[in-house]
Amino acid sequence: MECIETVNDGECILIKGPANIEVKEGKVKVLGGTFNAGERIVIPKGKALPLKACTPTTLKIMSSSIERIKEDIPSQWRIAVEELDKAEKPVVVLVIGGVDTGKTTLTTLLGNMALERGLRVAIVDADVGQSDIGPPCFVAMGLLNHPVSDMSKVELKDAYFIGSTTPSAYPHRMIAGVKLMVERALMLGSEVVLIDTPGWISGFRARDLNVALVYVLQPSMIIALQNGNEAEGILKAFSSSETRVIRLPALASCKRDRETRKFLRETAYRRHLSGSINVELDIDRVSVVYTTLFSGSILNSDDKRKISEVLGINPVYAEASFDTLTLILPSDVDVTREKIEALRLLFKGRELHLLRETSLENILVALLDRKNMYLGVGILKKLDYAARKMVIYTPVSPDKIATVLFGSVKVVENGEEIGSIRYGY
Ligand SMILES: Nc1ncnc2c1ncn2[C@@H]1O[C@H](COP(=O)(O)OP(=O)(O)OP(=O)(O)O)[C@@H](O)[C@H]1O
Ligand SMILES: [Mg+2]
């Protein structure tokens, strides 16, 4: 529904996506960024944005939901803006909180405010499940060159592959990724580095990750968004230290359901896969990582025969390294636990990794160049064990690819998530 809305100086409205807004006259503030007459603001489906008029303003709005609200952002959030202003630069800020507490909204606000003050701002998006800057499954970093209404407008500068949309799957990669992205942002001369995190704060393992992030990053401040006291289990770890903690109320937000989250992820995969084609890579000319596959030597016929005898089937592919035995089994036959135990005994001292022939199809992969730098994302379409070739659907030029990292999520060309895979046995 299209309408012309007049908003008086100081008045606020909340617009739900999908929405398209054109500032016809006047100017509005959106999360600390100024949008003047002639500028457009797009709100994706599943997100909502508060606008505050700075002068009497006329807006042309296409949206099914426009609501007058008292304040555009919680008044207490100003404390965070003031603290950021006062902080010695460069400043690293870690924003934590549960799901849907407003972490991304606050990060965007702080980024826009700092940019308006002429500071060089970087955002590290560590929300691997609801990625805005990079593809899902990555910790990404972007530099803020202009005010943004939505974090997905921040241009991607670098990314680190986690391989899953849940940080709990690979917390060690999360720590490495966030640390590396912050370091790179500082190396690029950023004066303000804001880290948006996933909403994983409850339970022992979540506390562990968040505390480790603080120890390794040594942020100038932690901002915790809470509905009640849900982040206190993490914050308690710093009650006796000099670490600066700012507690703020969560946004009284519209919650996103599972379907909306999935939709937003799929949109993000599609964006980063746009322009993809199938490219063929020679397995022996690239490094293949986050799998034990292709890290050793193909088994000799004697060992292969022993495996076939124990399992009662011929593996599609068998490979051993000093510490691992990796077998690709046909997809349509079952192998009993007893047989696997017998195999374990036969290759004692080696970790056994079993995969089905089709289980690696459509896994999300990350592509790195010769300096181990992020090139882009792709989907593994085909593995030809005999010809030692793999086909990857990606926008990245194949001659640049030095390393392929295997992820745990399965995605198809239109961005749809179709499942996941667990490595190892
Ligand atoms: N002033 C506001 N009032 C109500 N809702 C708002 C307001 N500002 C933003 N929102 C919406 O609230 C929702 C949650 O905010 P946000 O995305 O910042 O939370 P989050 O903690 O980052 O969530 P996630 O855990 O999914 O990353 C979003 O849909 C956002 O668009
Ligand atoms: Mg978020």
Side-chain angles (χ1 to χ4, degrees):
M1 191 183 72
E2 186 176 300
C3 71
I4 300 286
E5 193 84 11
T6 315
V7 195
N8 292 327
D9 186 6
E11 271 183 3
C12 305
I13 53 173
L14 182 73
I15 304 172
K16 282 194 182 144
N20 206 314
I21 303 148
E22 190 187 338
V23 184
K24 298 298 274 182
E25 275 172 52
K27 68 177 169 188
V28 287
K29 281 257 178 204
V30 183
L31 305 177
T34 310
F35 292 80
N36 294 297
E39 292 191 83
R40 282 177 180 276
I41 301 154
V42 178
I43 309 174
K45 183 180 148 192
K47 297 200 179 177
L49 264 189
L51 273 67
K52 183 178 187 170
C54 307
T55 59
T57 300
T58 310
L59 303 165
K60 187 164 130 189
I61 307 174
M62 285 261 287
S63 169
S64 56
S65 170
I66 306 166
E67 192 191 323
R68 299 261 158 184
I69 49 172
K70 269 224 297 276
E71 51 184 14
D72 57 340
I73 47 166
S75 53
Q76 278 142 295
W77 283 19
R78 304 265 169 222
I79 298 168
V81 178
E82 284 161 20
E83 290 295 326
L84 187 62
D85 271 344
K86 280 194 270 173
E88 197 183 320
K89 312 295 182 302
V91 58
V92 175
V93 181
L94 184 70
V95 179
I96 65 166
V99 172
D100 285 323
T101 49
K103 301 177 298 298
T104 304
T105 305
L106 177 67
T107 307
T108 313
L109 171 80
L110 295 176
N112 283 334
M113 292 293 225
L115 188 73
E116 202 140 278
R117 284 154 175 68
L119 294 162
R120 283 193 294 270
V121 183
I123 313 263
V124 173
D125 177 5
D127 191 351
V128 289
Q130 288 294 290
S131 311
D132 283 301
I133 301 179
C137 303
F138 286 78
V139 172
M141 188 264 286
L143 301 179
L144 213 56
N145 302 317
H146 51 85
V148 291
S149 55
D150 176 341
M151 201 118 97
S152 63
K153 309 275 186 323
V154 177
E155 196 190 328
L156 175 70
K157 190 81 192 162
D158 203 348
Y160 187 91
F161 194 47
I162 305 302
S164 169
T165 53
T166 51
S168 56
Y170 305 108
H172 55 295
R173 294 184 196 168
M174 288 292 297
I175 294 168
V178 177
K179 174 71 177 165
L180 194 64
M181 290 302 106
V182 170
E183 244 169 42
R184 297 223 173 118
L186 291 170
M187 258 158 42
L188 290 170
S190 303
E191 293 158 293
V192 175
V193 182
L194 304 166
I195 308 157
D196 185 12
T197 56
W200 191 45
I201 57 163
S202 291
F204 178 75
R205 295 184 68 232
R207 287 185 189 188
D208 208 48
L209 171 63
N210 282 280
V211 170
L213 276 177
V214 175
Y215 285 147
V216 77
L217 297 171
Q218 295 182 273
S220 309
M221 57 181 110
I222 305 170
I223 304 179
L225 294 176
Q226 301 186 91
N227 285 300
N229 59 359
E230 65 272 20
E232 294 301 329
I234 295 164
L235 302 179
K236 188 92 174 101
F238 309 104
S239 57
S240 311
S241 76
E242 285 175 0
T243 311
R244 178 109 182 76
V245 176
I246 301 169
R247 292 172 170 82
L248 294 177
L251 205 62
S253 66
C254 42
K255 304 263 175 274
R256 280 192 288 261
D257 56 24
R258 265 176 77 96
E259 274 311 299
T260 307
R261 288 177 178 277
K262 190 164 173 278
F263 166 82
L264 289 169
R265 270 204 303 279
E266 290 175 356
T267 310
Y269 287 123
R270 262 202 308 278
R271 185 153 65 91
H272 293 278
L273 284 167
S274 112
S276 289
I277 53 166
N278 282 334
V279 302
E280 193 180 74
L281 297 179
D282 189 336
I283 285 168
D284 296 311
R285 297 188 62 163
V286 292
S287 305
V288 183
V289 183
Y290 293 162
T291 166
T292 56
L293 255 187
F294 313 124
S295 64
S297 315
I298 297 173
L299 287 189
N300 61 37
S301 50
D302 199 30
D303 280 338
K304 262 195 210 152
R305 189 182 37 79
K306 284 187 205 154
I307 291 172
S308 302
E309 276 169 17
V310 172
L311 296 181
I313 49 163
N314 291 326
V316 176
Y317 179 75
E319 186 196 280
S321 66
F322 174 78
D323 53 345
T324 59
L325 173 71
T326 308
L327 300 184
I328 304 294
L329 303 178
S331 298
D332 51 356
V333 285
D334 280 331
V335 183
T336 61
R337 286 228 152 253
E338 292 71 34
K339 287 180 178 170
I340 290 165
E341 282 316 311
L343 197 62
R344 231 187 266 283
L345 274 179
L346 191 64
F347 287 86
K348 220 173 174 174
R350 285 196 174 101
E351 266 180 26
L352 185 56
H353 292 260
L354 300 181
L355 286 163
R356 297 286 177 181
E357 194 178 7
T358 51
S359 61
L360 288 165
E361 271 173 23
N362 294 307
I363 58 160
L364 192 77
V365 295
L367 306 165
L368 308 183
D369 70 9
R370 264 164 240 296
K371 291 190 158 42
N372 300 325
M373 298 295 281
Y374 171 80
L375 287 172
V377 67
I379 300 171
L380 180 67
K381 294 309 297 178
K382 199 173 148 201
L383 272 174
D384 186 334
Y385 297 97
R388 294 189 72 79
K389 304 265 186 213
M390 62 171 111
V391 175
I392 293 174
Y393 179 76
T394 181
V396 176
S397 159
D399 48 298
K400 291 189 182 154
I401 302 170
T403 303
V404 181
L405 307 175
F406 279 21
S408 303
V409 176
K410 289 182 153 206
V411 177
V412 286
E413 285 86 334
N414 67 3
E416 192 189 339
E417 282 179 354
I418 57 163
S420 61
I421 150 173
R422 277 186 56 181
Y423 293 95
Y425 201 80

